[in-house]
Amino acid sequence: MQQETKGAAPGAAPAGRTRREAYEARVRRRSTLVAAASTALVVLAIVTLVPLAPGWEAVNRSFFNGEVFAQTFPTLVRAFLWDLAIFAWSVPLITVIALAVALARDARSPALFPLKLFGILYTDIFRGIPVILVVYLIGFGIPGLGLPRPWNSPYIWGTVALVLTYSAYVAEIFRSGIESVHDSQRAAAASLGLSRADAMRFVVLPQAVRRVVPANMNMLIALQKDVALLSFIGPVEVLRQAGVFKSLLANFTPYVGAALIFLAVTIPATRYADYLMARQRRERS
């Protein structure tokens, strides 16, 4: 049995490790100081140089008017509730449809090939068409059929456009999660007497869904921003309300207010998605 290092208490960390940890701590502190200093210099340069531009006064009045901001911001916040509502009722629909499409694409029985073909065509079509074009086609096309109220509402058909588009993207994320589960898991489930459907339900899907949570978080962030596209077909949400104020006041400050509202929601969500991805990497390493 090896003896303890002379002069060192039992269980104490080796001196080499202690020196390495101290060195890494100094490097981290130095990196933090350099990053803080460079950031401060950039901010100082922007604050100093931008107001020196010839057109700064006009830009300041048009985009950063404090009086206009105070006048319009509360109404913009209320209009943003429509964005949140459309987002809230779209997410469950997207989840259900995307999971169904992903399972259809994963179908392995020859008898289910039509479902697999439908899943392939669905994802190819709605991932290939820009979101704004789908919003226009559905948001203007279907109400043009002369449907009675409330079935001609742009809120309904705008939601349908977003759900159809984002379901295609989320379905591919779910499918990648399903395919990341090794086939040995299915074989083990079959050896325990589980049917193919039960193996998918109790073995494959729980692992797949857990693996794709960070990627789906990023899709939800994108969805929250793309709700603003529905303003082009009529819903008075925050972007359209900002446009109304811009027309009434001849000032672009309401657009800055709308941008700040979106940032207040998307930045925390983005940081949370980054945290989930980092935790997932740590668990795999």
Side-chain angles (χ1 to χ4, degrees):
M1 177 181 288
Q2 290 184 335
Q3 295 181 345
E4 293 289 340
T5 303
K6 186 176 181 179
R17 182 182 302 174
T18 303
R19 287 195 297 270
R20 184 174 66 251
E21 290 174 350
Y23 171 76
E24 291 175 351
R26 288 197 301 271
V27 170
R28 285 195 297 269
R29 285 196 298 271
R30 184 166 61 248
S31 301
T32 302
L33 289 174
V34 171
S38 62
T39 302
L41 288 174
V42 171
V43 171
L44 181 62
I46 293 174
V47 172
T48 304
L49 297 177
V50 170
L52 298 178
W56 168 247
E57 290 299 330
V59 170
N60 190 32
R61 287 193 303 271
S62 297
F63 287 87
F64 305 104
N65 189 307
E67 182 179 347
V68 173
F69 182 86
Q71 178 184 349
T72 60
F73 191 74
T75 305
L76 292 176
V77 172
R78 288 194 293 271
F80 186 68
L81 296 179
W82 271 114
D83 292 73
L84 294 178
I86 294 170
F87 173 81
W89 65 55
S90 296
V91 170
L93 296 173
I94 290 171
T95 303
V96 172
I97 295 173
L99 190 55
V101 172
L103 292 174
R105 290 206 60 179
D106 188 65
R108 302 188 177 187
S109 171
L112 298 178
F113 180 76
L115 280 179
K116 188 181 185 74
L117 181 61
F118 167 78
I120 293 172
L121 292 174
Y122 177 86
T123 54
D124 285 350
I125 290 172
F126 284 102
R127 288 198 306 160
I129 303 175
V131 182
I132 185 61
L133 188 52
V134 177
V135 170
Y136 271 123
L137 291 175
I138 294 179
F140 287 125
I142 295 182
L145 297 174
L147 299 176
R149 291 181 178 274
W151 300 110
N152 60 352
S153 169
Y155 292 94
I156 294 176
W157 299 114
T159 299
V160 169
L162 290 178
V163 169
L164 289 175
T165 300
Y166 272 87
S167 294
Y169 287 99
V170 175
E172 285 298 280
I173 294 174
F174 277 133
R175 187 170 71 93
S176 68
I178 291 171
E179 291 182 350
S180 71
V181 179
H182 199 272
D183 282 342
S184 62
Q185 299 281 332
R186 300 176 192 250
S191 68
L192 293 174
L194 272 69
S195 66
R196 185 173 295 178
D198 285 341
M200 176 61 70
R201 177 183 176 186
F202 296 112
V203 178
V204 177
L205 274 184
Q207 299 180 67
V209 170
R210 186 165 56 250
R211 293 178 183 182
V212 300
V213 166
N216 278 330
M217 277 293 298
N218 286 321
M219 292 304 301
L220 294 181
I221 294 168
L223 172 64
Q224 177 61 73
K225 294 182 295 183
D226 280 348
V227 170
L229 297 176
L230 302 191
S231 64
F232 292 110
I233 61 172
V236 184
E237 45 71 66
V238 65
L239 180 60
R240 190 171 185 86
Q241 185 63 64
V244 171
F245 282 136
K246 178 260 178 186
S247 299
L248 290 175
L249 303 174
N251 194 281
F252 291 94
T253 302
Y255 284 125
V256 176
L260 292 176
I261 293 171
F262 276 109
L263 288 175
V265 173
T266 57
I267 288 179
T270 302
R271 296 286 75 79
Y272 183 62
D274 291 343
Y275 162 75
L276 292 177
M277 294 179 71
R279 188 178 69 177
Q280 192 175 76
R281 285 194 298 268
R282 288 195 301 270
E283 291 175 351
R284 290 180 179 179
S285 61

